[in-house]
Amino acid sequence: MIDIDGTVCDDIPNEEPERMLTAEVYPDALITLNKWYDEGHIIFFFTSRTEAHREYTEIWLKKYGFKYHGILFGKPRGGNYHWIDNHLVKATRYRGHFTDLIEKEVTIEVFDDGEHD
């Protein structure tokens, strides 16, 4: 699940959809995501853009040659949210560059199961 605006291209607000077709692509994102796709990873974009922006979004992704399996629109705006699932969910914060992923130990919030170490 990969965000679009500010992650694979310029950060374009929903209030300015006319700019979506002219957003500059982040080349390292294109190279990395297409490599992951070719390696067999499932690539879905998860964006705060609305369903009304689908056509512009798909045109832009095709223009730059992104390989992907689907797009989910309507991600909550603001970025500070929890994803609760019955499966393990990994999250990686984008900080300006796509590189190979590395393993790193971090502190996370989990549900209290009543057992304490």
Side-chain angles (χ1 to χ4, degrees):
M1 303 284 280
I2 297 123
D3 184 32
I4 295 177
D5 295 295
T7 304
V8 301
C9 69
D10 293 335
D11 195 358
I12 308 295
N14 286 348
E15 294 78 15
E16 300 176 32
E18 68 281 359
R19 293 180 51 211
M20 291 178 181
L21 290 176
T22 61
E24 291 293 322
V25 68
Y26 296 165
D28 56 335
L30 177 63
I31 292 165
T32 302
L33 295 181
N34 283 351
K35 179 182 86 165
W36 290 346
Y37 181 99
D38 292 342
E39 291 172 351
H41 298 278
I42 305 300
I43 305 296
F44 261 79
F45 290 103
F46 185 31
T47 178
S48 294
R49 294 180 179 194
T50 67
E51 205 45 63
H53 303 131
R54 177 179 288 277
E55 183 179 5
Y56 285 160
T57 302
E58 290 177 339
I59 288 170
W60 186 88
L61 290 167
K62 183 176 182 179
K63 172 183 174 181
Y64 285 101
F66 278 94
K67 299 176 184 178
Y68 63 97
H69 296 90
I71 308 170
L72 298 173
F73 292 88
K75 180 183 86 169
R77 292 176 85 176
N80 294 323
Y81 50 84
H82 277 88
W83 180 344
I84 299 173
D85 200 314
N86 67 326
H87 297 280
L88 177 64
V89 176
K90 296 180 181 180
T92 303
R93 183 173 183 189
Y94 178 73
R95 294 195 173 190
H97 299 285
F98 272 81
T99 64
D100 290 332
L101 296 174
I102 61 170
E103 289 191 22
K104 184 176 180 181
E105 289 188 34
V106 296
T107 301
I108 62 169
E109 291 179 294
V110 298
F111 288 110
D112 185 354
D113 62 6
E115 296 180 22
H116 299 281
D117 296 337

